[in-house]
Amino acid sequence: MLDKIGIAKRIAQEIKNNYYVNLGIGIPTLVANYIPEGINVVLQSENGLLGMGPFPIEGEEDPDLINAGKQTITTLPGSSIFDSAMSFGMIRSQKVDLTILGAMEVSENGDIANWKIPGKMVKGMGGAMDLVASAKNIIVAMQHVNKAGESKLLPQCSLPLTGVKCVKKIVTELAVLEIATDGGFRLLERAPGVTIDEIKKATAGKLIIEGDIPEMKI
């Protein structure tokens, strides 16, 4: 199985040259450290930054430079800082090519729940609703099962939704999957050493398996 860094490394392979990419809180923020060499990409943070770099070296952090998750970050030459109105204008006008988000649950038709567990205090949905409503392409970085061992890839989400029929692809510690046009999780790759049976047991939603499933290359 992959750890969080492994998931981030695999998702980084989905980034294409000249993409504008938004990284959500959690595992997605790690992707900034693993952009493939030779790829020109501009990372956007919805709190008002274009040109986000990798995480700073310990001891070199600037507390005035943070991402949407309040983590200290770096900027790259040519980066730009602006207000939230400008940032969300970029998002809502579909200027962002790829959004990478964490999730608590994803349904087999591409619904995502990633902002609230009923009964627990949260500050709000943040920018997630705008991102899932506007992004051209959404990839989810998540654990396949929760702490109780229950699947997070479901026929239907049980938690409050963030967006409907918006997720295109999911990368977990076990597998890479895409949402099929007619519903279901189509298995594309399996993590090194992970069997098809392990993925079946961890997936509560409809799992589509076609032909031989290759191992991920990290």
Side-chain angles (χ1 to χ4, degrees), residues 36-189:
E37 289 187 16
I39 295 291
N40 177 46
V41 60
V42 179
L43 299 180
Q44 194 251 17
S45 185
E46 69 253 34
N47 57 319
L49 172 64
L50 272 180
M52 182 168 61
F55 285 115
I57 297 170
E58 187 174 353
E60 297 183 5
E61 301 93 340
D62 181 345
D64 290 328
L65 288 177
I66 61 171
N67 62 19
K70 299 181 176 61
Q71 297 168 302
T72 53
I73 55 171
T74 62
T75 56
L76 299 176
S79 63
S80 178
I81 296 172
F82 37 84
D83 63 18
S84 292
M86 176 70 75
S87 179
F88 280 94
M90 295 173 182
I91 292 167
R92 292 168 184 169
S93 58
Q94 298 186 318
K95 304 297 185 185
V96 176
D97 298 296
L98 172 63
T99 295
I100 302 169
L101 295 171
M104 300 169 189
E105 295 177 346
V106 175
S107 78
E108 62 189 35
N109 67 345
D111 299 345
I112 181 174
N114 77 341
W115 75 282
K116 184 177 178 65
I117 298 176
K120 292 191 176 182
M121 182 175 289
V122 292
K123 294 180 180 179
M125 190 178 285
M129 180 174 61
D130 296 87
L131 288 163
V132 301
S134 305
K136 300 174 184 176
N137 186 13
I138 296 173
I139 297 177
V140 168
M142 67 186 293
Q143 300 294 326
H144 213 104
V145 298
N146 62 23
K147 292 179 180 178
E150 301 164 332
S151 179
K152 296 165 69 173
L153 304 181
L154 307 169
Q156 292 182 320
C157 293
S158 62
L159 297 173
L161 294 183
T162 311
V164 175
K165 295 183 179 180
C166 57
V167 174
K168 299 291 190 295
K169 188 174 285 187
I170 305 126
V171 180
T172 75
E173 75 277 20
L174 300 179
V176 178
L177 311 103
E178 67 178 3
I179 301 297
T181 304
D182 55 351
F185 300 102
R186 178 177 286 111
L187 183 59
L188 301 180
E189 302 173 21

